[in-house]
């Protein structure tokens, strides 16, 4: 696997379907890529969409096997899937579920050198779109990020599914998407001579943040049009920002804190979604940047969504100074000033 960022631009996916009832097109899309599929999904997702997926695959004469998996995205599991695909003669992989399944099916496809179709059943992250995976140990500790040399071949966003998800998942996705602007702001001191690619990524990230700030509460209150726009932003627009920046300048303190928490407080943080943990780090990052108005905006949206707003609420109740010194936090925190003790004090106030 490759943990180095690629120089190639990956601005999207081979095909994007974003419509009500889009899952019915799965069989037709699969036939563009092969005739035998390995179908991977989480238990909740498969209970929701397995029948529809299988019906569409059968209608297009696609052979398939099914794997229902509940664990983390790990190298070990990806290698197991790749081996099974080779043994079964699978010609493509299909993943249905949340961020962990999206990351795992992309990683398995990269390992097996096969095309991949992603079908997100929640919009808690942009994982269905981006050509990278956040990787964990089998126990759930964060190992880092692996970058892939090709884009997702097909992304199917069925709005009948995504617009009826629990508000908690949408809220987590909204805050995770808003992190793009906050973290690019963090990196501005490194970007005085940024090229047009990064400048465009910054512009889109800012508009993304402002749109989600304006739409977020409406969406969480059930406004159908706001939900649809937020889902698009969380999965697609956020992925575009990542592609335009080639993975650079949009992972800073909030995501570094996330990785440290998943590693140091694996069991305590397990109940919390990726975006919920990142959101707590966002509050810290906004205050570190001196962006108190931004911190107030984020806090108001998080409170409206019933999200945790402090470290102790997500199970981090130990040595904050040790957490602040844990790699990769120092790389993204210190602009040549401050130390782990200073950061720990900010964490205690967050």
């Amino acid at each position: 696997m490759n943990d180095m960022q690629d120089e190639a631009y990956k601005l999207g996916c081979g095909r994007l379907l974003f419509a009500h009832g889009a899952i019915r097109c799965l069989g037709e899309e699969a036939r563009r890529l092969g005739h035998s599929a390995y179908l991977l999904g989480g238990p909740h997702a498969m209970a929701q969409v397995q029948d529809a997926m299988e019906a569409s695959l059968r209608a297009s004469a696609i052979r398939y096997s099914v794997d229902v998996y509940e664990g983390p995205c790990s190298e070990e599991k990806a290698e197991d899937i790749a081996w099974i695909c080779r043994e079964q003669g699978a010609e493509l992989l299909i993943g249905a579920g949340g961020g962990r399944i999206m990351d795992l099916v992309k990683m398995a496809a990269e390992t097996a050198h096969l095309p991949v179709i992603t079908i997100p059943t929640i919009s808690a992250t942009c994982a269905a779109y981006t050509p990278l995976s956040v990787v964990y140990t089998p126990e759930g500790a964060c190992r880092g990020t692996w970058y892939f040399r090709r884009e997702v071949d097909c992304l199917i966003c069925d709005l009948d599914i995504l617009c009826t998800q629990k508000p908690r998942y949408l809220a987590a996705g909204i805050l995770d998407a808003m992190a793009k602007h906050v973290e690019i702001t963090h990196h501005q001191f490194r970007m005085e001579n940024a090229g047009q690619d990064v400048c465009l990524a910054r512009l889109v990230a800012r508009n993304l943040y402002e749109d989600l700030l304006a739409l977020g509460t409406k969406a969480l209150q059930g406004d159908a049009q706001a939900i649809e726009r937020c889902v698009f932003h969380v999965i697609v627009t956020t992925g575009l920002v990542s592609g335009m920046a080639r993975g650079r300048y949009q992972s800073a303190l909030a995501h570094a804190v996330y990785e440290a928490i998943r590693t140091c407080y694996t069991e305590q943080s397990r109940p919390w979604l990726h975006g919920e943990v990142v959101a707590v780090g966002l509050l810290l990052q906004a205050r570190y940047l001196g962006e108190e108005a931004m911190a107030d905006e984020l806090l108001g949206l998080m409170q409206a969504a019933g999200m945790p707003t402090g470290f102790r609420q997500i199970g981090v109740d130990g040595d904050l100074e040790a957490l602040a010194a844990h790699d990769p936090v120092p790389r993204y925190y210190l602009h040549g000033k401050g130390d782990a003790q200073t950061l720990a004090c900010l964490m205690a106030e967050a």
Side-chain angles (χ1 to χ4, degrees), residues 264-323:
C264 298
Y265 293 88
T266 303
E267 289 303 318
Q268 296 93 325
S269 66
R270 195 179 299 278
W272 302 105
L273 300 172
H274 172 93
E276 291 171 331
V277 179
V278 168
V280 173
L282 277 182
L283 285 179
L284 170 70
Q285 184 158 6
R287 290 184 175 119
Y288 167 67
L289 294 170
E291 298 282 354
E292 291 300 329
M294 179 186 288
D296 290 342
E297 291 171 347
L298 293 167
L299 180 61
L301 184 55
M302 291 165 67
Q303 289 175 334
M307 297 174 69
T309 59
F311 284 87
R312 285 173 177 79
Q313 293 178 36
I314 55 173
V316 179
D317 56 1
D319 187 348
L320 291 176
E321 189 168 339
L323 180 66

Side-chain angles (χ1 to χ4, degrees), residues 8-9 17 41 56 83 100 104 106 120 130 133 145 156 213 215 251 269 271 286 291 298 301 328 336 346:
Y9 293 97
L17 280 68
S56 183
W83 183 85
R100 288 183 298 173
L104 179 57
K106 291 182 297 183
T130 50
S133 292
T145 302
I156 298 176
L213 184 64
L215 292 169
S251 180
S269 66
E291 298 282 354
L298 293 167
L301 184 55
L346 283 172

